[in-house]
Amino acid sequence: MCISYTAQVKVAISKSARDKMRQKREHSLKELVDVKDPGRRERLSHTDPGPVARESWRSRPDCLENVDSRPPALKRTSSLKKSSAQRSPYRDRSSVSRSSDIDPSVPRELTRPDLSITEVFKLLSDDDWEKKIEGLNLARSLCVFHSDVVLEKLHELKIAVTQEVKNLRSSVSRAAIGCLGDMFTHLKKNMDHELDNCVRALLHKAGESNIFIREDVDKALDVMVQNVTPVRALAALINGGLSHLNTAVKKCTALHMSDLVERMGPGWILSGIKDITDRSLPAIAKFAQDGSQETRFFGRKMLHYLMSHPEFDKMLEKYIPTKDLPYIRDVVKQIQVKGVGEIHETPSARGRRSYHGSVGSLRASSVSQNTHNTLDSVLQRDQRS
């Protein structure tokens, strides 16, 4: 009897069924107490063992003490989880791989760069934007660690990457802009050819409202100015941004052209060499007259930087258009008296680093020069009197 009841307990039943069985047992117990017939009482005890019988069964160690009191269904569920975990090795593998994965956007050295360059073009030609980003990250690794392999396919790679700069998906566009920045940094003057197309695409993205894209463009153009041939960079900036209708694009062009003028120096800019002086001075004059206060600031900054050259006035008369010359002379006089001025609107972070410290020095030099002239005039008047 004990063994059969133990087998029945192991069957999982619902709560409502257990309640019904309990009610039935209580009803049977009540009948057992009320019935005086010993025979009927014995039959009922065989149908449903009462509390006394159950207590006697609990006192026996070979019966209910060994029965698991936890719900059997829960036991089966936990066993299923264990078995599924044993059958699926990807659970532990994925957790380990997530902790040790390398960021794919960080350039890394490749084992087979000769095959990777072919994979780059295959990924960039795919319509899936994630594949494009993968190809651009692979191209960045090639530029950083295997530039000799990139030089063999540089023309095709520049065309493909520049095309992705124009991509409407911002994540792809930003990856392409970063790739161009790495190409400028590590390939240097090898990027001179077809520089116009790369700079034009970057300047076009500078007019977008996405601040992250604008910052990426600033960084890419900054490394372009520092690494490629200055004359090529000057021509590319003037061709791509001088006559652009977007105010942000013209401001970005003037900012980086100002950095380039400082890199080249007054002697080179005002040397009279073809494609340098004859292109840079009219562009500077146009920036100094622009409707945007920020763009005018960079034009005035370049004029102030060139004012120290002894041939400055002569070169202005020779290369500035006649209709613009009187205004530029007035601007030069204002710079001598008041300095370059300040930018009231908040520029990008890179722009602040570029010229925040130079504004004070430019204003200080202009003010000191003006103070010196004032003192000379006062001394001359005293001598006359």
Side-chain angles (χ1 to χ4, degrees):
M1 184 68 182
C2 175
I3 296 175
S4 64
Y5 182 72
T6 304
Q8 292 175 4
V9 171
K10 290 186 178 181
V11 178
I13 58 178
S14 64
K15 183 179 179 181
S16 60
R18 287 198 300 270
D19 292 340
K20 290 181 180 179
M21 292 178 65
R22 179 175 55 80
Q23 293 174 1
K24 184 177 180 180
R25 285 196 299 270
E26 291 177 354
H27 181 70
S28 300
L29 180 61
K30 185 177 180 181
E31 290 182 352
L32 182 64
V33 173
D34 294 339
V35 173
K36 296 180 179 181
D37 184 8
R40 187 179 178 185
R41 184 182 302 176
E42 184 178 357
R43 288 194 300 272
L44 289 174
S45 65
H46 286 294
T47 305
D48 184 20
V52 178
R54 284 196 293 270
E55 289 297 331
S56 63
W57 288 334
R58 287 194 185 97
S59 62
R60 296 177 59 181
D62 59 338
C63 295
L64 293 180
E65 288 293 333
N66 297 327
V67 178
D68 194 352
S69 61
R70 291 179 299 175
L74 293 179
K75 288 184 63 178
R76 284 199 301 272
T77 304
S78 60
S79 63
L80 286 175
K81 288 183 178 179
K82 291 180 181 179
S83 61
S84 63
Q86 293 175 354
R87 287 195 303 269
S88 177
Y90 298 104
R91 179 189 300 258
D92 296 336
R93 189 182 302 173
S94 61
S95 61
V96 173
S97 62
R98 273 195 295 270
S99 61
S100 60
D101 273 348
I102 300 175
D103 186 359
S105 63
V106 177
R108 64 191 187 281
E109 192 169 0
L110 305 173
T111 55
R112 293 294 304 273
D114 52 334
L115 299 179
S116 298
I117 189 66
T118 305
E119 184 69 13
V120 167
F121 293 110
K122 180 181 178 181
L123 292 170
L124 291 180
S125 61
D126 200 295
D127 293 333
D128 187 356
W129 64 273
E130 292 182 339
K131 295 289 185 65
K132 290 181 181 293
I133 293 179
E134 183 181 351
L136 291 167
N137 291 333
L138 188 59
R140 297 182 71 175
S141 298
L142 288 170
C143 293
V144 174
F145 294 101
H146 311 282
S147 57
D148 53 334
V149 177
V150 176
L151 292 177
E152 299 176 0
K153 297 285 186 178
L154 182 57
H155 173 72
E156 294 84 353
L157 184 61
K158 280 194 292 187
I159 294 176
V161 174
T162 303
Q163 187 65 30
E164 298 306 329
V165 170
K166 307 173 186 177
N167 197 298
L168 298 179
R169 185 176 285 273
S170 60
S171 55
V172 178
S173 179
R174 292 189 65 191
I177 293 170
C179 185
L180 274 184
D182 285 337
M183 293 172 75
F184 290 137
T185 302
H186 298 281
L187 304 180
K188 300 186 183 299
K189 295 182 179 180
N190 292 299
M191 294 291 292
D192 287 352
H193 300 286
E194 301 173 14
L195 188 62
D196 280 5
N197 294 332
C198 299
V199 173
R200 197 184 302 274
L202 290 173
L203 288 174
H204 179 75
K205 300 299 287 189
E208 293 199 357
S209 59
N210 190 321
I211 187 173
F212 301 108
I213 289 182
R214 294 203 307 268
E215 289 178 352
D216 291 342
V217 168
D218 263 346
K219 294 175 184 177
L221 290 175
D222 187 41
V223 296
M224 184 275 295
V225 167
Q226 300 300 325
N227 289 284
V228 304
T229 303
V231 178
R232 295 294 184 94
L234 181 67
L237 287 172
I238 293 174
N239 294 336
L242 179 62
S243 301
H244 205 283
L245 299 179
N246 189 291
T247 303
V249 173
K250 282 197 290 186
K251 191 259 309 188
C252 182
T253 305
L255 186 156
H256 293 286
M257 185 172 170
S258 175
D259 292 343
L260 184 60
V261 167
E262 290 188 9
R263 183 190 175 199
M264 297 176 69
W268 199 353
I269 296 295
L270 301 177
S271 61
I273 299 176
K274 185 180 178 182
D275 294 333
I276 298 179
T277 309
D278 59 335
R279 299 208 65 189
S280 59
L281 277 183
I284 293 171
K286 188 171 182 179
F287 286 138
Q289 302 175 75
D290 193 80
S292 169
Q293 189 268 344
E294 291 182 295
T295 305
R296 286 199 310 272
F297 169 81
F298 292 111
R300 294 163 66 92
K301 181 183 174 185
M302 287 184 276
L303 285 175
H304 180 272
Y305 184 70
L306 299 175
M307 282 167 48
S308 60
H309 195 274
E311 300 292 327
F312 177 70
D313 292 332
K314 180 181 177 180
M315 291 299 173
L316 285 182
E317 294 179 358
K318 183 176 181 180
Y319 292 103
I320 299 297
T322 306
K323 62 183 180 65
D324 298 332
L325 187 58
Y327 179 81
I328 296 301
R329 289 191 182 278
D330 291 340
V331 171
V332 171
K333 290 179 182 178
Q334 291 177 7
I335 293 174
Q336 291 174 345
V337 175
K338 300 180 180 180
V340 176
E342 296 178 353
I343 292 184
H344 300 293
E345 297 182 14
T346 303
S348 64
R350 186 238 161 256
R352 283 197 298 270
R353 288 196 299 271
S354 171
Y355 58 77
H356 179 73
S358 63
V359 173
S361 61
L362 289 173
R363 287 182 59 84
S365 61
S366 300
V367 171
S368 62
Q369 183 179 2
N370 183 42
T371 304
H372 180 72
N373 294 336
T374 305
L375 290 174
D376 288 343
S377 61
V378 171
L379 290 175
Q380 289 176 3
R381 285 200 305 269
D382 291 343
Q383 290 176 357
R384 291 173 186 173
S385 62

